[in-house]
Protein backbone atom coordinates (compact mmCIF):
# COMPACT_ATOMS: atom_id res chain seq x y z
CA UNK A 1 0.00 0.00 0.00
CA UNK A 2 1.23 3.51 -0.81
CA UNK A 3 0.26 6.80 0.80
CA UNK A 4 -0.59 9.62 -1.58
CA UNK A 5 -2.85 12.63 -1.92
CA UNK A 6 -5.23 14.19 -4.42
CA UNK A 7 -3.66 17.31 -5.87
CA UNK A 8 -6.97 19.23 -6.11
CA UNK A 9 -6.35 20.81 -2.70
CA UNK A 10 -3.51 22.88 -4.21
CA UNK A 11 -5.07 24.41 -7.34
CA UNK A 12 -2.67 27.34 -7.52
CA UNK A 13 0.49 25.20 -7.43
CA UNK A 14 1.74 23.55 -10.60
CA UNK A 15 2.44 19.83 -10.72
CA UNK A 16 6.26 20.09 -10.44
CA UNK A 17 5.88 22.13 -7.23
CA UNK A 18 3.41 19.63 -5.80
CA UNK A 19 5.58 16.66 -6.74
CA UNK A 20 8.63 18.23 -5.11
CA UNK A 21 6.69 18.98 -1.91
CA UNK A 22 5.15 15.49 -1.81
CA UNK A 23 8.48 13.71 -2.22
CA UNK A 24 10.09 15.96 0.37
CA UNK A 25 7.37 15.12 2.90
CA UNK A 26 7.39 11.33 2.51
CA UNK A 27 4.34 10.93 0.31
CA UNK A 28 4.65 8.13 -2.22
CA UNK A 29 1.93 8.82 -4.80
CA UNK A 30 -0.22 11.52 -6.34
CA UNK A 31 -3.79 11.32 -7.58
CA UNK A 32 -3.64 14.12 -10.14
CA UNK A 33 -6.53 16.54 -10.69
CA UNK A 34 -7.32 17.12 -14.38
CA UNK A 35 -10.29 19.50 -14.50
CA UNK A 36 -10.18 21.95 -17.45
CA UNK A 37 -9.54 24.76 -14.95
CA UNK A 38 -10.24 25.63 -11.33
CA UNK A 39 -12.64 27.83 -9.47
CA UNK A 40 -15.88 26.20 -10.60
CA UNK A 41 -16.23 24.78 -7.10
CA UNK A 42 -13.90 24.18 -4.19
CA UNK A 43 -11.30 21.43 -4.45
CA UNK A 44 -10.87 21.11 -8.19
CA UNK A 45 -7.67 21.84 -10.12
CA UNK A 46 -6.03 21.57 -13.54
CA UNK A 47 -2.66 19.90 -13.04
CA UNK A 48 -2.37 18.21 -16.44
CA UNK A 49 -3.70 19.66 -19.73
CA UNK A 50 -5.51 16.52 -20.80
CA UNK A 51 -7.39 18.18 -23.68
CA UNK A 52 -4.10 18.85 -25.49
CA UNK A 53 -1.92 16.14 -23.94
CA UNK A 54 0.56 14.41 -26.24
CA UNK A 55 3.79 12.41 -26.23
CA UNK A 56 5.93 15.42 -25.33
CA UNK A 57 3.80 16.15 -22.24
CA UNK A 58 3.75 12.45 -21.39
CA UNK A 59 7.54 12.23 -21.48
CA UNK A 60 7.85 15.30 -19.25
CA UNK A 61 5.29 13.97 -16.77
CA UNK A 62 6.91 10.53 -16.58
CA UNK A 63 10.27 12.21 -16.04
CA UNK A 64 8.85 14.36 -13.24
CA UNK A 65 7.47 11.37 -11.37
CA UNK A 66 10.65 9.34 -11.88
CA UNK A 67 12.74 12.27 -10.63
CA UNK A 68 10.81 12.33 -7.36
CA UNK A 69 10.27 8.54 -7.06
CA UNK A 70 6.51 9.05 -6.99
CA UNK A 71 3.69 6.95 -8.39
CA UNK A 72 0.89 8.56 -10.41
CA UNK A 73 -1.95 6.52 -8.96
CA UNK A 74 -4.95 7.95 -10.88
CA UNK A 75 -6.29 10.93 -12.78
CA UNK A 76 -9.18 12.76 -11.12
CA UNK A 77 -12.08 14.45 -12.89
CA UNK A 78 -15.08 14.27 -10.58
CA UNK A 79 -18.07 15.65 -12.47
CA UNK A 80 -21.73 14.84 -13.10
CA UNK A 81 -21.98 12.39 -16.00
CA UNK A 82 -25.79 12.53 -15.82
CA UNK A 83 -26.04 16.32 -15.80
CA UNK A 84 -29.55 17.47 -16.83
CA UNK A 85 -28.23 20.02 -19.32
CA UNK A 86 -27.31 18.12 -22.54
CA UNK A 87 -24.63 20.61 -23.51
CA UNK A 88 -22.91 20.48 -20.14
CA UNK A 89 -23.16 16.69 -20.08
CA UNK A 90 -21.43 16.48 -23.46
CA UNK A 91 -18.63 18.77 -22.23
CA UNK A 92 -18.09 16.45 -19.26
CA UNK A 93 -18.15 13.34 -21.46
CA UNK A 94 -15.61 14.83 -23.85
CA UNK A 95 -13.25 15.90 -21.08
CA UNK A 96 -13.53 12.51 -19.37
CA UNK A 97 -12.43 10.89 -22.63
CA UNK A 98 -9.47 13.27 -22.78
CA UNK A 99 -8.55 12.14 -19.26
CA UNK A 100 -8.78 8.49 -20.35
CA UNK A 101 -6.54 9.19 -23.36
CA UNK A 102 -4.00 10.88 -21.09
CA UNK A 103 -4.08 7.99 -18.61
CA UNK A 104 -3.36 5.62 -21.51
CA UNK A 105 -0.36 7.69 -22.67
CA UNK A 106 1.03 7.74 -19.12
CA UNK A 107 0.27 4.11 -18.28
CA UNK A 108 -2.00 5.20 -15.44
CA UNK A 109 -4.58 2.49 -14.69
CA UNK A 110 -7.46 4.58 -13.31
CA UNK A 111 -9.50 7.67 -14.08
CA UNK A 112 -11.85 8.82 -11.33
CA UNK A 113 -15.24 10.46 -11.83
CA UNK A 114 -18.82 10.43 -10.50
CA UNK A 115 -21.89 8.71 -11.82
CA UNK A 116 -23.78 11.88 -10.94
CA UNK A 117 -27.51 12.42 -11.25
CA UNK A 118 -30.13 14.40 -13.14
CA UNK A 119 -31.69 16.00 -10.07
CA UNK A 120 -34.87 16.82 -11.99
CA UNK A 121 -35.72 13.13 -12.41
CA UNK A 122 -36.33 10.25 -9.96
CA UNK A 123 -33.69 7.66 -9.20
CA UNK A 124 -35.29 4.95 -11.34
CA UNK A 125 -35.03 7.13 -14.44
CA UNK A 126 -31.44 8.03 -13.60
CA UNK A 127 -30.56 4.37 -13.28
CA UNK A 128 -31.97 3.70 -16.74
CA UNK A 129 -30.07 6.68 -18.16
CA UNK A 130 -26.79 5.58 -16.57
CA UNK A 131 -27.28 2.13 -18.07
CA UNK A 132 -27.44 3.88 -21.44
CA UNK A 133 -24.54 6.32 -20.89
CA UNK A 134 -21.83 4.35 -19.12
CA UNK A 135 -21.27 1.21 -21.24
CA UNK A 136 -19.82 3.30 -24.06
CA UNK A 137 -17.48 5.12 -21.63
CA UNK A 138 -16.41 1.85 -19.99
CA UNK A 139 -15.70 0.33 -23.40
CA UNK A 140 -13.73 3.41 -24.48
CA UNK A 141 -11.61 3.20 -21.33
CA UNK A 142 -11.15 -0.55 -21.63
CA UNK A 143 -9.72 -0.19 -25.13
CA UNK A 144 -6.97 1.93 -23.52
CA UNK A 145 -6.40 -0.47 -20.57
CA UNK A 146 -7.92 2.09 -18.21
CA UNK A 147 -10.59 1.50 -15.59
CA UNK A 148 -13.13 4.15 -14.60
CA UNK A 149 -13.34 4.47 -10.82
CA UNK A 150 -16.26 6.08 -9.03
CA UNK A 151 -15.96 7.86 -5.70
CA UNK A 152 -18.86 7.06 -3.36
CA UNK A 153 -19.40 10.73 -2.48
CA UNK A 154 -23.04 11.69 -1.86
CA UNK A 155 -22.63 15.06 -3.67
CA UNK A 156 -25.61 16.45 -1.78
CA UNK A 157 -24.81 19.99 -2.94
CA UNK A 158 -25.83 19.05 -6.49
CA UNK A 159 -29.42 18.44 -5.38
CA UNK A 160 -31.56 21.49 -4.55
CA UNK A 161 -32.81 19.83 -1.37
CA UNK A 162 -29.56 18.23 -0.25
CA UNK A 163 -30.45 14.70 -1.33
CA UNK A 164 -27.90 12.43 -3.03
CA UNK A 165 -26.55 13.90 -6.25
CA UNK A 166 -24.22 11.00 -7.10
CA UNK A 167 -25.80 7.57 -7.42
CA UNK A 168 -22.93 5.60 -5.97
CA UNK A 169 -23.17 6.41 -2.28
CA UNK A 170 -24.22 3.02 -0.84
CA UNK A 171 -23.35 -0.68 -1.24
CA UNK A 172 -26.76 -1.21 -2.87
CA UNK A 173 -25.77 1.21 -5.64
CA UNK A 174 -22.20 -0.12 -5.83
CA UNK A 175 -23.54 -3.51 -6.87
CA UNK A 176 -25.46 -1.80 -9.66
CA UNK A 177 -22.49 0.25 -10.94
CA UNK A 178 -20.28 -2.85 -10.87
CA UNK A 179 -22.69 -4.41 -13.35
CA UNK A 180 -21.89 -1.44 -15.64
CA UNK A 181 -18.18 -2.25 -15.51
CA UNK A 182 -17.21 0.47 -13.02
CA UNK A 183 -14.91 0.25 -10.01
CA UNK A 184 -14.64 2.11 -6.69
CA UNK A 185 -12.44 4.90 -5.46
CA UNK A 186 -13.58 4.03 -1.95
CA UNK A 187 -13.88 6.86 0.62
CA UNK A 188 -14.93 6.07 4.21
CA UNK A 189 -15.91 9.63 5.16
CA UNK A 190 -19.13 9.61 3.12
CA UNK A 191 -20.19 6.24 4.48
CA UNK A 192 -19.65 7.44 8.05
CA UNK A 193 -22.00 10.42 7.92
CA UNK A 194 -24.80 8.51 6.17
CA UNK A 195 -24.71 5.86 8.91
CA UNK A 196 -22.81 3.01 7.21
CA UNK A 197 -19.83 1.43 8.97
CA UNK A 198 -17.02 1.79 6.40
CA UNK A 199 -14.91 -1.01 7.89
CA UNK A 200 -17.70 -3.51 7.24
CA UNK A 201 -17.92 -2.55 3.55
CA UNK A 202 -14.34 -3.56 2.74
CA UNK A 203 -14.48 -7.36 2.73
CA UNK A 204 -17.61 -7.76 0.56
CA UNK A 205 -16.36 -5.37 -2.12
CA UNK A 206 -12.57 -5.67 -1.99
CA UNK A 207 -12.39 -6.97 -5.57
CA UNK A 208 -13.82 -3.64 -6.80
CA UNK A 209 -11.96 -1.33 -4.41
CA UNK A 210 -8.96 -0.58 -6.64
CA UNK A 211 -8.16 2.88 -5.26
CA UNK A 212 -9.03 4.42 -1.90
CA UNK A 213 -9.26 7.95 -0.55
CA UNK A 214 -8.48 9.08 2.97
CA UNK A 215 -10.80 11.80 4.18
CA UNK A 216 -12.14 12.15 7.71
CA UNK A 217 -15.46 13.53 8.92
CA UNK A 218 -16.37 15.29 12.15
CA UNK A 219 -19.94 14.67 13.30
CA UNK A 220 -22.01 16.96 15.51
CA UNK A 221 -24.95 14.82 16.70
CA UNK A 222 -26.51 17.66 18.72
CA UNK A 223 -26.99 19.66 15.50
CA UNK A 224 -28.39 16.59 13.77
CA UNK A 225 -31.19 16.68 16.31
CA UNK A 226 -32.35 19.91 14.65
CA UNK A 227 -31.92 19.07 10.96
CA UNK A 228 -31.89 15.29 10.62
CA UNK A 229 -29.54 13.55 8.21
CA UNK A 230 -30.58 15.68 5.21
CA UNK A 231 -29.44 19.00 6.67
CA UNK A 232 -31.19 22.40 6.53
CA UNK A 233 -34.50 22.39 4.65
CA UNK A 234 -35.78 25.98 4.98
CA UNK A 235 -32.78 27.83 3.56
CA UNK A 236 -29.95 26.15 1.70
CA UNK A 237 -29.06 29.17 -0.43
CA UNK A 238 -26.05 30.37 1.57
CA UNK A 239 -24.04 27.19 1.04
CA UNK A 240 -25.71 24.12 -0.51
CA UNK A 241 -22.78 21.97 0.68
CA UNK A 242 -23.28 22.80 4.37
CA UNK A 243 -25.37 20.04 5.93
CA UNK A 244 -25.33 21.75 9.30
CA UNK A 245 -24.20 18.83 11.45
CA UNK A 246 -20.93 17.50 10.01
CA UNK A 247 -17.84 18.66 8.16
CA UNK A 248 -14.90 17.04 6.43
CA UNK A 249 -11.54 16.90 8.22
CA UNK A 250 -8.07 15.64 7.40
CA UNK A 251 -7.41 12.11 8.70
CA UNK A 252 -6.96 12.07 12.45
CA UNK A 253 -9.29 14.98 13.24
CA UNK A 254 -12.64 13.23 12.85
CA UNK A 255 -14.48 10.05 13.72
CA UNK A 256 -13.12 7.65 11.06
CA UNK A 257 -11.33 4.58 12.49
CA UNK A 258 -8.14 4.66 10.40
CA UNK A 259 -6.42 1.87 12.27
CA UNK A 260 -9.40 -0.41 11.72
CA UNK A 261 -9.75 0.58 8.06
CA UNK A 262 -6.11 0.07 7.12
CA UNK A 263 -5.96 -3.19 9.06
CA UNK A 264 -9.05 -4.48 7.20
CA UNK A 265 -7.64 -3.37 3.83
CA UNK A 266 -4.42 -5.27 4.55
CA UNK A 267 -6.37 -8.29 5.78
CA UNK A 268 -8.15 -8.57 2.45
CA UNK A 269 -5.12 -8.00 0.26
CA UNK A 270 -5.45 -4.36 -0.77
CA UNK A 271 -2.17 -3.21 -2.33
CA UNK A 272 -3.27 0.04 -3.99
CA UNK A 273 -2.93 3.69 -3.04
CA UNK A 274 -4.53 5.37 -0.05
CA UNK A 275 -4.91 8.93 -1.30
CA UNK A 276 -5.57 11.79 1.13
CA UNK A 277 -8.43 13.96 -0.13
CA UNK A 278 -7.97 17.22 1.74
CA UNK A 279 -11.25 19.15 2.05
CA UNK A 280 -10.81 20.29 5.65
CA UNK A 281 -12.22 23.83 6.13
CA UNK A 282 -9.92 24.46 9.09
CA UNK A 283 -6.70 23.63 7.24
CA UNK A 284 -7.36 25.54 4.04
CA UNK A 285 -7.30 29.09 2.70
CA UNK A 286 -3.63 29.18 1.70
CA UNK A 287 -1.05 26.68 0.40
CA UNK A 288 0.71 26.92 3.76
CA UNK A 289 -2.37 25.82 5.69
CA UNK A 290 -3.24 23.14 3.13
CA UNK A 291 0.21 21.60 3.36
CA UNK A 292 0.02 21.72 7.16
CA UNK A 293 -3.20 19.73 6.85
CA UNK A 294 -1.43 17.23 4.60
CA UNK A 295 1.28 16.89 7.24
CA UNK A 296 -1.38 16.13 9.89
CA UNK A 297 -2.82 13.46 7.60
CA UNK A 298 0.64 12.01 7.04
CA UNK A 299 1.34 11.81 10.78
CA UNK A 300 -1.95 9.97 11.24
CA UNK A 301 -1.67 7.49 8.38
CA UNK A 302 2.01 6.85 7.65
CA UNK A 303 2.70 4.83 10.84
CA UNK A 304 -0.09 2.43 9.82
CA UNK A 305 1.25 1.72 6.32
CA UNK A 306 4.10 -0.71 5.72
Amino acid sequence: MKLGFLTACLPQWDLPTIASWAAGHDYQALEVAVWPGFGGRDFEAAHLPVATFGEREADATRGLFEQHALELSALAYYENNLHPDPGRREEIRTHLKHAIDTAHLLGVPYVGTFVGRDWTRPIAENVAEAERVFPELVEYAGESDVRIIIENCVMEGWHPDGYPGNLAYSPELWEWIFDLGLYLNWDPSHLTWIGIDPVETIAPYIDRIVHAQAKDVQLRPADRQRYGHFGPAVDRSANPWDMGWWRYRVPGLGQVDWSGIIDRLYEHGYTGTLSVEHEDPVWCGSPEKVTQGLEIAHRTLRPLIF
Side-chain angles (χ1 to χ4, degrees):
M1 197 184 306
K2 288 183 170 63
L3 180 62
F5 66 85
L6 172 58
T7 65
C9 60
L10 290 164
Q12 295 175 327
W13 279 12
D14 61 20
L15 190 56
T17 302
I18 294 172
S20 176
W21 186 92
H25 291 80
D26 193 33
Y27 275 97
Q28 301 161 293
L30 292 176
E31 179 185 0
V32 176
V34 297
W35 275 263
F38 68 91
R41 69 172 189 266
D42 291 342
F43 308 110
E44 63 180 45
H47 286 135
L48 285 177
V50 297
T52 57
F53 204 80
E55 289 292 349
R56 184 174 66 177
E57 291 83 4
D59 288 343
T61 303
R62 283 191 291 266
L64 175 67
F65 277 76
E66 289 169 5
Q67 174 189 349
H68 294 291
L70 290 168
E71 179 177 310
L72 205 173
S73 64
L75 301 184
Y77 176 55
Y78 288 94
E79 283 295 348
N80 186 353
N81 285 279
L82 300 180
H83 198 286
D85 178 77
R88 178 64 182 134
R89 187 191 294 191
E90 183 58 27
E91 290 174 357
I92 292 166
R93 174 179 171 274
T94 298
H95 195 76
L96 181 60
K97 286 189 170 184
H98 289 321
I100 291 167
D101 295 341
T102 297
H104 176 65
L105 279 175
L106 291 171
V108 174
Y110 309 121
V111 171
T113 191
F114 291 133
V115 172
R117 177 180 182 174
D118 178 346
W119 56 83
T120 70
R121 301 165 66 185
I123 288 178
E125 291 182 14
N126 274 272
V127 167
E129 182 68 1
E131 290 171 351
R132 185 189 68 81
V133 167
F134 274 94
E136 185 260 342
L137 290 169
V138 169
E139 182 178 0
Y140 186 87
E143 290 171 352
S144 295
D145 296 319
V146 173
R147 292 176 177 177
I148 297 175
I149 56 174
I150 303 294
E151 185 188 345
N152 55 288
C153 184
V154 181
M155 293 307 288
E156 65 287 344
W158 277 348
H159 193 286
D161 296 318
Y163 304 146
N166 174 40
L167 298 183
Y169 57 85
S170 67
E172 175 192 21
L173 289 164
W174 299 351
E175 293 164 6
W176 163 64
I177 68 169
F178 297 160
D179 289 342
L180 300 179
L182 301 165
Y183 291 78
L184 273 183
N185 191 4
W186 180 87
D187 185 328
S189 65
H190 311 299
L191 295 165
T192 300
W193 79 259
I194 65 173
I196 295 173
D197 182 349
V199 175
E200 295 305 316
T201 69
I202 294 171
Y205 301 106
I206 192 64
D207 291 343
R208 290 281 172 159
I209 299 173
V210 296
H211 198 274
Q213 289 186 328
K215 184 162 74 263
D216 217 325
V217 62
Q218 183 180 32
L219 308 179
R220 302 193 299 270
D223 291 327
R224 188 176 58 209
Q225 287 295 113
R226 172 173 171 77
Y227 298 118
H229 269 83
F230 302 112
V234 175
D235 183 8
R236 296 182 55 79
S237 60
N239 181 1
W241 299 99
D242 184 2
M243 299 296 279
W245 64 273
W246 60 266
R247 61 181 179 174
Y248 293 129
R249 303 304 309 272
V250 293
L253 299 181
Q255 273 75 55
V256 173
D257 176 11
W258 294 108
S259 179
I261 281 170
I262 292 173
D263 179 60
R264 190 67 59 90
L265 286 169
Y266 272 122
E267 178 183 357
H268 293 282
Y270 181 77
T271 58
T273 297
L274 184 62
S275 179
V276 175
E277 186 182 20
H278 181 347
E279 296 183 355
D280 189 321
V282 177
W283 296 100
C284 71
S286 69
E288 292 74 22
K289 291 195 73 174
V290 169
T291 52
Q292 287 172 333
L294 290 170
E295 290 183 54
I296 294 169
H298 184 277
R299 288 198 299 270
T300 300
L301 300 173
R302 193 67 184 91
L304 303 173
I305 296 175
F306 304 101

